[in-house]
Amino acid sequence: MNCNQCQEAAKGIGCTVFGVCGKSPELSALMDTFIYSLIGLSSLAVEAKKLEINTEEIDLFVIEGLFATITNANFDEEEFVSRIQASINYREQYKALLQQKGIVLPSAAIYELDVKTKEEMIHKALHLAIHQTADEDIRSIRELMLFGLKGLAAYLSHAEKLNYKNEALFSAAHEFMASLVNDELTLEQYVPMTLALGEVGVQAMALLDEANTTTFGNPEISTVNIGVGTRPGILITGHDLHDLKQLLEQTKDQGIDIYTHSEMLPAHYYPELKKYEHLKGNYGNAWHLQMKEFETFNGPIVFTTNCLVPPRSNSTYMDRVYTTGNTGYPGFKVIPVLEDGTKDFTAVIEQAKQCVAPTAIEAGQLVGGFAHHQVLSLADSIIEAVKGGAIKHFVVMAGCDGRHKERQYYTDFAQALPNDSVILTAGCAKYRYNKLELGDINGIPRVLDAGQCNDSYSLAVIALKLKEAFGLEDINDLPIVYNIAWYEQKAVIVLLALLSLGVKKIHLGPTLPAFLSPNIVNFLVETFEIGGISSVDEDLKKFLLIN
Ligand code: FS2
Ligand code: SF4
């Protein structure tokens, strides 16, 4: 295996023996073969779309498939065996369609993927991975694009679940996918394509924002209980708000409570979700603490998306975990989907009724809901606080959390920030500082949580509106610094999106991506002034120009 897609890549280079995340070499190989098959399918979709052939089925297949290969989403080898087979079937179907119309097939589509058994699928990966591209810089930029595409796919998938689709975004995703095996493309041609992918990322996040806010209302300032009640509970984790809505509907008046976990916390900010009285609170912290927190939750747990951590052999919660969507783990139960597409949570509900209430691990409450609509309604007081000098810095600390101890840096950094600075956050990175007592500035909390990682879009909208309000020419003239933590591939599309909006001087940590070659890093440093992090003291001086 050779996987380097996340921040945990072994030795900062890549996992070659076994994934730090728990991914086996076999699973990694199946994912590589699957990705290659999806590239072939995308190449066919590009041609089919030119002929106005309906490609809806494979649009979604490719998007969902990419999503399933994101770090910590799916550990079920059999799932990938059947998806590879389905991919080959689609490929034959679309090849035949295009051949009938006399179209010369693109080379990726002609590549024979005649694998039938799991062993053949695993073995084939040795010859297929993008990672084996000979030129280091082309390999690096292809991986940057592939990982960005995985993040893009996650956001397009969430929007589609709420019936928000944009044909142009699917087409763009297929074109980017097809470009990953185009040996005629030079580095000079790939570079602008990565920024174009970032622009598509902005559009996808805008689409998801529209889907979420139209369906569930605009996030508003909300307090969220982090303690527990006396009734049994169901814990729902991941990012899929549509799944949560269905669970809330099906658990009404059943004598049980629903708790959110990790990236599902921002559900409490949406009017159409917070209206359910049995949406009781948020239990626990970011994804990497799940092995401990699931033990004490006592009731069933539903995974809607990543991040899933493989349980220990002595974990007591194995028989309480359910997966849905693109998540999977051998031995975890799967939520059935009815013919009309509704997810059937009956088994989860019945199991919850047999469980005791969660054990309290915390008490108190959190405040959040500062997505763009809410923040812009406070714009006057924010602008006044900036002009009067009460707020001197906005610090964007969005992104992901992770299990490595060096991420303590983010807690220390948040704590060490001067009192005239406001943290703008989104994503599970927030758990490193959202329970600190950082106070407020003229009633404006010092940590403004916009929501999930995809709501980093909201932070960009806020920045653009502030630029307008202050009459500035350039978004980089705002008193905003970016100290972003990354972990998996959704952070890659968020980064490309910010770059495409012209944001400079983003600091990325705790380590730079292993898949970036020295030349690509140099390019990012020279063009966008991207940098890493060092110590809290040094970074405070460097980022905020203070002593
Ligand atoms: Fe956190 Fe994991 Fe949100 Fe990432 S729960 S690292 O998937 O997308 O952020
Ligand atoms: Fe390693 Fe990350 Fe790949 Fe898992 S996803 S195998 S931890 S690089």
Side-chain angles (χ1 to χ4, degrees):
M1 72 183 283
N2 214 326
C3 181
N4 58 1
Q5 68 176 359
C6 83
Q7 191 271 327
E8 284 189 327
K11 299 187 183 131
I13 300 170
C15 299
T16 52
V17 181
F18 208 92
V20 176
C21 61
K23 194 198 282 188
S24 68
E26 292 76 19
L27 179 62
S28 183
L30 288 167
M31 285 186 181
D32 284 348
T33 302
F34 182 46
I35 290 287
Y36 193 86
S37 79
L38 294 183
I39 292 171
L41 212 46
S42 280
S43 311
L44 290 168
V46 170
E47 297 305 318
K49 281 178 189 292
K50 285 182 197 158
L51 298 176
E52 296 186 1
I53 293 172
N54 185 337
T55 58
E56 196 179 349
E57 217 175 0
I58 52 171
D59 293 346
L60 294 178
F61 184 81
V62 170
I63 292 305
E64 299 299 338
L66 281 167
F67 191 178
T69 67
I70 279 185
T71 302
N72 292 342
N74 203 314
F75 292 86
D76 187 352
E77 292 175 14
E78 299 314 314
E79 175 67 29
F80 287 97
V81 170
S82 64
R83 288 205 200 199
I84 291 168
Q85 198 51 62
S87 184
I88 292 171
N89 293 345
Y90 276 132
R91 182 176 169 124
E92 291 314 306
Q93 188 187 325
Y94 279 80
K95 259 165 89 170
L97 255 174
L98 290 171
Q99 272 164 340
Q100 272 167 21
K101 297 194 184 275
I103 298 297
V104 180
L105 294 174
S107 57
I110 302 167
Y111 195 99
E112 284 309 321
L113 195 60
D114 55 347
V115 285
K116 291 193 179 61
T117 66
K118 182 173 172 181
E119 288 63 38
E120 287 170 347
M121 291 172 184
I122 290 171
H123 182 71
K124 197 76 181 176
L126 294 172
H127 310 285
L128 297 175
I130 297 284
H131 190 70
Q132 287 164 19
T133 305
D135 182 287
E136 188 191 29
D137 298 325
I138 302 264
R139 186 271 304 151
S140 176
I141 207 148
R142 283 178 173 176
E143 288 185 332
L144 175 62
M145 287 177 66
L146 173 62
F147 303 150
L149 279 161
K150 292 186 181 196
L152 174 76
Y155 297 147
L156 289 177
S157 164
H158 285 306
E160 194 276 332
K161 296 288 177 307
L162 298 171
N163 290 321
Y164 279 73
K165 279 187 273 192
N166 180 332
E167 173 65 26
L169 299 184
F170 288 138
S171 295
H174 287 308
E175 281 172 24
F176 289 122
M177 283 286 278
S179 76
L180 298 177
V181 289
N182 184 344
D183 290 332
E184 282 166 22
L185 289 173
T186 62
L187 192 59
E188 290 66 34
Q189 288 169 307
Y190 271 122
V191 168
M193 287 174 71
T194 55
L195 289 185
L197 174 55
E199 281 167 29
V200 172
V202 174
Q203 291 168 40
M205 283 188 265
L207 182 72
L208 179 54
D209 183 76
E210 186 191 352
N212 283 337
T213 54
T214 312
T215 313
F216 305 119
N218 272 304
E220 54 193 30
I221 301 177
S222 311
T223 52
V224 183
N225 166 33
I226 56 171
V228 298
T230 53
R231 307 198 301 179
I234 296 172
L235 190 62
I236 181 163
T237 189
H239 305 70
D240 199 312
L241 300 176
H242 183 52
D243 285 344
L244 171 61
K245 170 79 180 175
Q246 294 179 68
L247 179 64
L248 286 167
E249 269 301 309
Q250 292 176 37
T251 46
K252 271 195 302 197
D253 308 319
Q254 296 265 12
I256 49 181
D257 289 323
I258 304 301
Y259 293 82
T260 55
H261 177 260
S262 191
E263 274 283 63
M264 205 56 99
L265 160 65
H268 294 271
Y269 312 153
Y270 288 93
E272 282 303 310
L273 296 172
K274 67 190 273 191
K275 72 179 187 189
Y276 292 90
E277 281 179 14
H278 65 300
L279 181 60
K280 187 79 182 169
N282 188 70
Y283 190 85
N285 295 277
W287 63 273
H288 56 99
L289 292 169
Q290 64 187 249
M291 281 192 286
K292 199 164 163 234
E293 295 170 350
F294 288 180
E295 295 287 350
T296 51
F297 183 73
N298 304 329
I301 298 127
V302 178
F303 272 101
T304 65
T305 70
N306 55 332
C307 282
L308 187 161
V309 181
R312 293 194 186 98
S313 56
N314 62 351
S315 294
T316 66
Y317 57 81
M318 280 290 289
D319 72 331
R320 290 190 271 122
V321 185
Y322 296 76
T323 59
T324 185
N326 284 311
T327 54
Y329 187 82
F332 286 175
K333 289 168 267 198
V334 178
I335 304 290
V337 182
L338 305 180
E339 252 175 47
D340 66 355
T342 310
K343 297 196 176 175
D344 179 3
F345 291 99
T346 309
V348 193
I349 296 166
E350 291 312 311
Q351 186 174 22
K353 288 177 180 169
Q354 308 305 316
C355 296
V356 295
T359 305
I361 51 174
E362 292 173 297
Q365 54 190 31
L366 290 173
V367 180
F370 297 94
H372 58 89
H373 185 267
Q374 178 66 79
V375 172
L376 296 176
S377 74
L378 301 172
D380 289 348
S381 34
I382 293 174
I383 290 165
E384 200 182 309
V386 174
K387 287 190 171 156
I391 297 179
K392 288 214 175 66
H393 314 273
F394 293 98
V395 185
V396 175
M397 291 181 74
C400 317
D401 197 6
R403 61 196 133 200
H404 285 177
K405 60 179 184 315
E406 65 261 33
R407 287 183 187 254
Q408 174 66 28
Y409 162 93
Y410 293 103
T411 308
D412 297 342
F413 187 86
Q415 222 149 10
L417 281 169
N419 289 337
D420 55 13
S421 48
V422 170
I423 296 174
L424 303 175
T425 191
C428 65
K430 67 169 80 66
Y431 285 98
R432 289 281 166 177
Y433 34 81
N434 68 346
K435 292 170 187 172
L436 301 175
E437 295 290 336
L438 295 181
D440 64 88
I441 299 173
N442 301 343
I444 302 160
R446 288 196 49 228
V447 179
L448 299 181
D449 178 21
Q452 299 179 335
C453 43
N454 44 291
D455 295 307
S456 303
Y457 166 77
S458 231
L459 303 181
V461 172
I462 293 167
L464 290 167
K465 291 285 176 197
L466 287 177
K467 181 191 99 172
E468 230 174 84
F470 288 113
L472 300 170
E473 291 276 302
D474 187 338
I475 195 168
N476 296 298
D477 294 337
L478 282 167
I480 300 187
V481 295
Y482 295 81
N483 191 0
I484 290 181
W486 83 286
Y487 174 66
E488 42 74 64
Q489 298 78 56
K490 292 183 217 174
V492 178
I493 194 64
V494 170
L495 175 70
L496 293 177
L498 289 175
L499 297 184
S500 78
L501 289 170
V503 176
K504 290 191 171 168
K505 294 188 183 163
I506 294 174
H507 300 276
L508 198 61
T511 52
L512 291 180
F515 53 83
L516 296 179
S517 67
N519 280 335
I520 300 295
V521 171
N522 282 343
F523 164 77
L524 292 172
V525 171
E526 279 165 20
T527 318
F528 298 104
E529 299 172 62
I530 280 188
I533 57 169
S534 53
S535 71
V536 169
D537 283 349
E538 274 181 45
D539 288 350
L540 280 175
K541 285 183 208 152
K542 194 160 65 179
F543 303 171
L544 274 62
L545 305 175
I546 53 172
N547 292 309

